[in-house]
Amino acid sequence: HTHTLPTPGPSLAGASPLSSMSRDGAALSGLSSQAELACIAEISRALHISPCKGAPDDAETLEVQLVRFIREHGLRPRSIEKKFRAACEYKEKNINNSEVMSVLQPIASTRWMAASEMPDGEWATQYCPIGMHCGFAKNGCPVKIERLGRFDLKGITSTPNYRKKLNAFYLGLVDCLQRRLDQHAADTANLTEGQTYEIFDLAGLGTHMLTFSALNFTKDVLSAFATHYPSSFRKATVINAPGFANGAWRMVSTVLPKSVKEKVPLPWPPSVLTRGSLE
């Protein structure tokens, strides 16, 4: 279905109808700076003139999403508008047209969901142990854990049409998690609390798991995540990494912008996460 933007009402200095603002021009959510609000205002005027299919219905969520793009790419309204439209188009084509996602998306912003609730989630979580929400780090970031070393690639690839099912699962997971993070950021007026702290546990990872197909799938997911869901994770910690894992990461991370790679510092020591070590 097509989302329409709210009709603009009275505003200051051409402020966007999509950005909640008080009379002094400050965001009611407290999320955005004055410079970011000015950028949001320019972008949202353009989006109102030429509506963007797939854009959020409410001003608060759209403000959060635009701030994510701005903090990733800078205060460049025309560039941000182009990237935002491309992201909406990607989601409309690959995610929003799913009947399952049309049911899950309204729920996603209201609570933390489990990986098993995602499209093909009951199948996928038999082979891919993922915790979408495992508490909070000290800085307020929600924690997500993927036990990559325990992924059962043989079980996954033995399933007919597994690539399509796994793709639907991962894209659904990313989109539902993003919706909850957007709402959490709006509720707390803090983008940091709308970004995940990712933990990747590589215990059990073997070289037999680093197939061409697996590496390409990983690159595709990472590329889509970095491009269309910017500023969605704060930092990543890799634990229990075997020696060859650093080289594998260098291969798949070629699709990622520098800002993302800097959040996953190398080398990865074969350490075990200790209690209280999350920032």
Side-chain angles (χ1 to χ4, degrees), residues 218-219 222 246-258 260-261 264 266 268:
T218 302
K219 288 175 71 172
L222 288 173
N246 290 278
W249 170 248
R250 289 189 178 94
M251 290 170 56
V252 300
S253 64
T254 56
V255 299
L256 300 178
K258 182 180 177 181
V260 174
K261 287 188 278 191
V264 193
L266 290 173
W268 299 333

Side-chain angles (χ1 to χ4, degrees), residues 27-251:
L28 295 179
S29 68
L31 182 76
S32 310
S33 69
Q34 290 294 318
E36 288 168 341
L37 283 172
C39 188
I40 290 170
E42 184 172 339
I43 296 167
S44 51
R45 280 197 298 270
L47 293 176
H48 187 76
I49 293 170
S50 178
C52 179
K53 188 176 182 181
D57 290 320
D58 64 289
E60 192 173 56
T61 301
L62 188 55
E63 180 181 333
V64 172
Q65 292 189 5
L66 290 176
V67 167
R68 291 189 190 279
F69 278 87
I70 290 169
R71 294 189 185 175
E72 182 70 30
H73 301 291
L75 294 163
R76 299 183 296 166
R78 291 186 180 179
S79 176
I80 298 298
E81 180 196 346
K82 183 178 180 180
K83 292 178 187 298
F84 181 76
R85 287 184 183 277
C88 289
E89 182 179 342
Y90 174 85
K91 295 171 189 176
E92 279 292 298
K93 180 180 178 180
N94 296 284
I95 301 171
N96 297 350
N97 60 359
S98 160
E99 290 185 13
V100 176
M101 287 303 293
S102 68
V103 174
L104 294 179
Q105 286 173 333
I107 300 171
S109 62
T110 66
R111 64 175 174 85
W112 301 104
M113 301 186 74
S116 60
E117 295 179 89
M118 298 301 103
D120 294 303
E122 291 188 4
W123 164 78
T125 50
Q126 295 178 77
Y127 312 110
C128 310
I130 298 175
M132 288 179 65
H133 179 54
C134 304
F136 296 90
K138 292 179 180 178
N139 63 0
C141 289
V143 176
K144 174 171 163 279
I145 300 176
E146 293 198 40
R147 304 184 72 177
L148 298 178
R150 291 189 58 189
F151 277 28
D152 179 1
L153 295 188
K154 184 177 180 180
I156 293 172
T157 56
S158 66
T159 303
N161 211 19
Y162 74 88
R163 180 62 186 262
K164 182 177 180 181
K165 291 166 71 74
L166 195 62
N167 195 58
F169 168 72
Y170 256 102
L171 290 181
L173 185 152
V174 169
D175 191 75
C176 285
L177 182 57
Q178 177 75 61
R179 287 170 183 269
R180 181 59 189 144
L181 292 172
D182 285 346
Q183 188 60 52
H184 193 57
D187 291 343
T188 60
N190 186 338
L191 189 63
T192 296
E193 297 192 26
Q195 296 174 304
T196 55
Y197 192 120
E198 305 267 347
I199 299 174
F200 298 101
D201 186 354
L202 304 190
L205 186 72
T207 54
H208 67 283
M209 300 172 71
L210 303 181
T211 65
F212 181 77
S213 179
L215 291 174
N216 273 347
F217 177 79
T218 302
K219 288 175 71 172
D220 289 346
V221 171
L222 288 173
S223 178
F225 178 70
T227 303
H228 304 305
Y229 299 89
S231 299
S232 294
F233 84 98
R234 187 72 175 180
K235 187 177 180 181
T237 294
V238 178
I239 61 174
N240 302 318
F244 61 82
N246 290 278
W249 170 248
R250 289 189 178 94
M251 290 170 56

